[in-house]
Amino acid sequence: MFTELNVILGFDHLKPPKGQFVLISDSLTDGSFLIHHFLSLYIKGGWKVCLLALAQSFGHYNAVGQKLGVPLTQAREKGQLRFIDGLKCSLQMYTCTPQEGQGENPLRVLRDKKATLRPLYNLVKTQVCSEEGALEGPTLLLVDDLSVLVSLGVSAKDVSDFMHYCRVLMCPTQQSQGAIVSLVHKDADVEDEENSTLFRHMAYHGTVHLAVEGLSSGYSRDVHGQVTVTFRNVQDPSQPWSRKRRLQYKVEERNVSFFAPGTSPAVL
């Protein structure tokens, strides 16, 4: 699955992206298909995944996983997949009373402006680390998606601080066993200063950026959008991004096909 993209990234289910912070952004289209790609890549490889789901329920990911031939329920039952239901936590914060246990909710920052995302970080840490506090083999922290926190009123600074600590935990160096993949919305037609600030902060942390965009020419039946892959130049911080590659794609029922611009099978 996603063979063409994997070749460019240098990742596959046997060679997961260790020590990488992969930022996915989308503009005027939905880039969540890449979230499902990295999730299935790790599960198929037998590696561990912690999915912090802020936008969807487990049922959604499981339904997509079934189409892709990835048994998420089975992976969850045997502990390979750790699922943090951020969507449920956020809904509880707006529906329960203080007497019903808001203090135990990792997203209590949504109601208590003096709180931080530290409880959420602590929860992530318990899910990805052993009792000794270390990662056990290649492990992915998958966050879908960070823009939800900003839309719910959490400041870009608090979200950025949370992801900074997650990066130190998961992938402080390129030799680390852990990796992070996170989605941030970057719609060109929406003015949202907090979300724009969040994107800039995440771009600073990222080692690989996958920018998913709709076609400037509008809807096409045969080409649904394009992905620009940019690698961070970690050897020269003064030139933070280099090595760009661009692919067009078409979302299919059980796959996403990628091809060089202008080489869609419909065109050829």
Side-chain angles (χ1 to χ4, degrees), residues 51-202:
L51 173 55
L52 172 53
L54 298 163
Q56 301 288 350
S57 65
F58 178 78
H60 168 79
Y61 299 101
N62 190 47
V64 176
Q66 288 178 342
K67 289 185 178 181
L68 301 178
V70 181
L72 295 187
T73 298
Q74 181 179 341
R76 189 180 185 184
E77 290 174 350
K78 68 180 184 179
Q80 182 189 3
L81 171 63
R82 301 294 180 90
F83 185 78
I84 300 177
D85 197 340
L87 177 62
K88 181 179 180 181
C89 289
S90 63
L91 290 175
Q92 287 177 339
M93 286 308 301
Y94 289 111
T95 57
C96 71
T97 65
Q99 292 74 24
E100 294 175 315
Q102 284 186 14
E104 303 300 321
N105 194 307
L107 288 178
R108 51 185 174 271
V109 66
L110 299 181
R111 293 284 292 271
D112 181 0
K113 298 309 176 184
K114 294 181 180 180
T116 68
L117 288 170
R118 183 78 187 190
L120 184 60
Y121 167 78
N122 291 337
L123 177 57
V124 168
K125 186 175 181 179
T126 62
Q127 297 298 310
V128 301
C129 293
S130 65
E131 293 182 359
E132 291 74 29
L135 300 180
E136 297 181 324
T139 304
L140 174 68
L141 172 59
L142 189 59
V143 185
D144 181 26
D145 65 65
L146 283 175
S147 295
V148 169
L149 292 175
V150 172
S151 69
L152 292 175
V154 183
S155 71
K157 180 183 181 304
D158 282 348
V159 179
S160 180
D161 288 346
F162 165 71
M163 291 303 294
H164 167 74
Y165 286 113
C166 287
R167 183 178 65 83
V168 173
L169 174 69
M170 300 296 300
C171 47
T173 71
Q174 289 194 299
Q175 287 71 47
S176 302
Q177 291 286 311
I180 296 175
V181 174
S182 181
L183 173 64
V184 175
H185 298 303
K186 189 175 178 288
D187 290 323
D189 63 342
V190 177
E191 293 186 8
D192 186 335
E193 184 58 35
E194 278 292 291
N195 201 67
S196 296
T197 300
L198 175 62
F199 170 77
R200 291 193 296 270
H201 287 174
M202 292 306 98

